Amino acid sequence: MTLAGMAAWFNVAQPVLITVLAIYGLLIIASLITWWLNVRSGGKLAELTARVKSWWVMITVFALAVFISQGLSAIFLGLISYLALKEYFSMIPTRRVDRSVLFWAYLAVPIQYWWAYTDWYGMFVVFIPVWMFLFTPVAMVLLGETKGFLRAVGTMSWGQMMMVFALSHTAHLLYSGDKIETPAGGAGLLLFLVFCTQFNDVMQYVWGKLTGKHKIVPTVSPNKTWQGFIGGLLSTMLLSFLIAPYLTPMSGLVAALAGGMIALSGFLGDITLSALKRDLGAKDTGALIPGHGGILDRVDSLTIAAPVFVHFMRYFYY
Amino acid sequence: MTKLLRLGFFAIVIRTLMVLVLGLNVRGREKLPAKGPAIILANHNSHLDTLSLMSLFPLSSLDSIKPVAALDYFLSSKPFAWFALNIIGILPINRKGGGNPLAGSIEALQNGDILILFPEGSRGLPEEMSEFKRGAELLCKMNPQVPVYPAFMHGLGKALPKGTWLLVPFILDIFIGEPFTYQDVGKKFMTRLQDDVQALADQGNFPAWE
């Protein structure tokens, strides 16, 4: 089958298919390197091996969710928000009396992704910051318990903003992107954002391991170094420069700058969630993904990178 | 037919509930016995405790996993009793009637089954352990060579506590401890069990639930 035939069969733009195949190519290289390092160290890199294995699963699930059908993608992205929110609610102190309010917070996930799916931007952008923000505290007031009220309102609103609102920008990109002049539609934009964000995470880690020396925020995340951050930033700018012309309306210098913006905001999302974990005394947010931790450990960068990229795109290209 | 229903219930409903809706964080899963006879003793928070522990075993061994439950509570209504006996597959004990209430459990152990017991008796206050009762000790004393596996569970008391049917998703922690037998510890059985479960509980870093 030709590439064009395959792309038509999956009902995706050809650049999207080629990018996914290229990601698998990178993954094969990463697997071979990990395998070689593991053999050389006498099998001491079990966690790294598990991590690379999990990448195979995650990329395949993501690719299938984007490829199979538009509706399925919304469900898949919504599920990520749901799992992240659940990890968050399981980590933080909560009040017994708020069980029903927590239940409503979970219900906000499918509703928010419905606005994204139907591309109702006005509702998408106010539902959580306005309606949920105002009426979550009201629901708590009506339950009549004032002890710990402010803390409960604060933690619950922040959780909904980060895990539901911020992450749902991925779905917004997918469903609104088809309206604009872009070579590979919404799927191309989403793939570009997710690829750059995750690539930056990996590159930051690799550069940090190889050359890391000067810590950036030692009190929050002792593994983050300037060398890792800058290595990741430059790598992601290069990646973006190379792939943006095929997946997005950007090219040249703008593409490289957008990659840098994703790298920076991804880094900020990462350390923001690290601060949360540190505050709560937790190492990982869960144990869902072997070698990575919880789902929130994997999508933490997207909490800031997704909204920043979406609003950058909206400002310049919508 | 009932067997198929039961398999479907555990393979689809319970798997989805445990892995996707709630989420499991299991420590020491590899310690769980592949074959009986064995007794799992855990703290009790919720109706779903039994099902969550059962979900840790492979579906192929489903028939040999027997949660021990009080007859009077579960057999209160006919459909509920049918569900408890045929789908969950509880081993009922009669707390009130005559005869030896442990007879069924002893027989199951002789058949090589794995029993699940909650020595606290009732579910009590969510996420607070109450004192363990003697029934479990008696059963272990009568089967001194059968290995006992202490287990600690957290999360279901928040997700589905006593007195409500509104399920609110929370990740569920299950910690399995090292097995021991009554023969090993003798009279100190209850202290050992309580200490082990408490030690497992102390491994967790659980957020406040006020």
Side-chain angles (χ1 to χ4, degrees):
Chain A
M1 211 191 297
T2 60
L3 271 177
M6 244 171 108
W9 193 72
F10 277 120
N11 194 24
V12 289
Q14 206 171 322
V16 172
L17 182 70
I18 294 171
T19 311
V20 170
L21 292 176
I23 293 172
Y24 275 113
L26 283 179
L27 205 50
I28 291 170
I29 297 169
S31 301
L32 288 174
I33 295 175
T34 318
W35 174 77
W36 180 69
L37 286 174
N38 202 25
V39 168
R40 220 185 47 166
S41 74
K44 278 185 196 143
L45 298 171
E47 178 158 331
L48 191 67
T49 312
R51 201 179 277 207
V52 175
K53 256 191 201 147
S54 292
W55 273 119
W56 280 96
V57 178
M58 286 188 287
I59 288 165
T60 305
V61 171
F62 177 77
L64 287 177
V66 174
F67 283 4
I68 288 176
S69 85
Q70 288 264 305
L72 189 73
S73 315
I75 293 172
F76 170 75
L77 295 169
L79 192 63
I80 293 179
S81 261
Y82 168 76
L83 294 173
L85 189 66
K86 188 182 68 187
E87 282 174 4
Y88 174 73
F89 282 155
S90 300
M91 281 169 81
I92 63 164
T94 40
R95 305 188 302 170
R96 269 163 219 256
V97 67
D98 290 334
R99 282 185 82 250
S100 57
V101 185
L102 290 165
F103 186 80
W104 291 112
Y106 281 118
L107 270 190
V109 177
I111 299 172
Q112 173 69 4
Y113 279 81
W114 178 256
W115 311 137
Y117 178 63
T118 55
D119 197 18
W120 183 359
Y121 179 69
M123 197 55 162
F124 168 83
V125 90
V126 299
F127 176 62
I128 294 196
V130 177
W131 300 118
M132 289 305 285
F133 180 75
L134 291 178
F135 287 96
T136 300
V138 169
M140 289 180 185
V141 170
L142 294 177
L143 290 170
E145 176 64 62
T146 53
K147 192 161 175 277
F149 174 73
L150 179 61
R151 192 194 67 187
V153 169
T155 52
M156 235 181 263
S157 297
W158 189 73
Q160 288 179 45
M161 284 298 285
M162 295 296 272
M163 317 310 158
V164 190
F165 182 67
L167 288 179
S168 70
H169 282 71
T170 53
H172 173 67
L173 203 54
L174 178 63
Y175 296 112
S176 66
D178 290 341
K179 288 184 312 195
I180 62 165
E181 280 289 314
T182 176
L189 296 179
L190 176 65
L191 184 63
F192 173 78
L193 167 70
V194 173
F195 189 12
C196 286
T197 313
Q198 303 300 334
F199 182 78
N200 179 57
D201 278 7
V202 173
M203 281 301 140
Q204 243 183 54
Y205 172 82
V206 171
W207 285 109
K209 280 271 168 198
L210 294 177
T211 63
K213 213 168 184 183
H214 301 93
K215 294 182 183 0
I216 302 184
V217 270
T219 55
V220 178
S221 195
N223 293 327
K224 298 273 182 257
T225 57
W226 278 107
Q227 288 79 359
F229 170 67
I230 291 167
L233 182 91
L234 294 176
S235 307
T236 309
M237 286 175 83
L238 177 66
L239 175 78
S240 173
F241 176 77
L242 293 174
I243 65 170
Y246 303 101
L247 295 173
T248 75
M250 302 176 292
S251 61
L253 182 65
V254 179
L257 286 176
M261 186 185 68
I262 290 175
L264 174 63
S265 51
F267 170 79
L268 296 176
D270 189 342
I271 59 169
T272 303
L273 270 301
S274 293
L276 170 78
K277 285 183 274 184
R278 195 141 279 246
D279 183 22
L280 296 170
K283 188 184 160 281
D284 292 330
T285 61
L288 193 68
I289 316 174
H292 294 256
I295 201 115
L296 194 46
D297 293 308
R298 194 60 276 137
V299 298
D300 49 8
S301 319
L302 279 170
T303 56
I304 295 184
V308 166
F309 181 65
V310 162
H311 293 293
F312 171 83
M313 289 303 290
R314 288 195 70 90
Y315 188 78
F316 290 108
Y317 295 98
Y318 275 51
Chain B
M1 184 61 201
T2 323
K3 225 177 160 176
L4 206 69
L5 260 179
R6 180 166 196 240
L7 199 68
F9 176 72
F10 275 95
I12 300 163
V13 181
I14 294 305
R15 284 282 142 100
T16 312
L17 180 70
M18 291 304 162
V19 176
L20 219 55
V21 180
L22 293 168
L24 285 175
N25 175 30
V26 190
R27 282 188 208 167
R29 189 187 212 130
E30 68 287 346
K31 290 178 198 152
L32 283 173
K35 290 201 297 247
I39 303 174
I40 315 243
L41 295 177
N43 60 322
H44 204 12
N45 286 314
S46 162
H47 275 310
L48 288 175
D49 286 341
T50 309
L51 291 167
S52 61
L53 277 174
M54 289 177 85
S55 79
L56 300 183
F57 290 92
L59 288 171
S60 54
S61 60
L62 195 58
D63 282 339
S64 62
I65 316 291
K66 299 258 161 70
V68 180
L71 184 73
D72 39 304
Y73 178 75
F74 275 95
L75 304 191
S76 54
S77 84
K78 270 221 163 122
F80 192 33
W82 177 85
F83 182 76
L85 287 171
N86 295 294
I87 301 297
I88 303 179
I90 64 159
L91 185 74
I93 48 164
N94 194 345
R95 287 193 284 202
K96 293 190 184 105
N100 182 0
L102 295 175
S105 307
I106 294 167
E107 199 188 313
L109 287 174
Q110 277 161 0
N111 290 339
D113 289 341
I114 299 171
L115 300 189
I116 297 176
L117 264 92
F118 300 104
E120 282 172 290
S122 81
R123 285 165 292 160
L125 289 173
E127 307 303 352
E128 271 173 40
M129 266 199 277
S130 44
E131 204 186 321
F132 288 0
K133 300 217 172 84
R134 297 266 157 192
E137 184 189 18
L138 211 61
L139 180 67
C140 296
K141 194 174 174 181
M142 286 192 251
N143 300 274
Q145 277 137 358
V146 172
V148 172
Y149 293 77
F152 174 75
M153 292 193 285
H154 174 268
L156 278 175
K158 295 159 81 173
L160 192 73
K162 200 174 181 172
T164 177
W165 285 102
L166 179 72
L167 179 75
V168 178
F170 280 101
I171 293 176
L172 169 59
D173 296 280
I174 306 181
F175 301 162
I176 312 290
E178 296 294 340
F180 58 89
T181 65
Y182 190 88
Q183 209 167 31
D184 295 342
V185 287
K187 284 206 174 70
K188 290 191 189 119
F189 182 82
M190 286 312 264
T191 343
R192 168 70 186 260
L193 179 65
Q194 219 133 23
D195 289 353
D196 277 16
V197 176
Q198 191 57 52
L200 290 171
D202 293 341
Q203 283 179 20
N205 171 23
F206 303 119
W209 173 248
E210 288 135 13

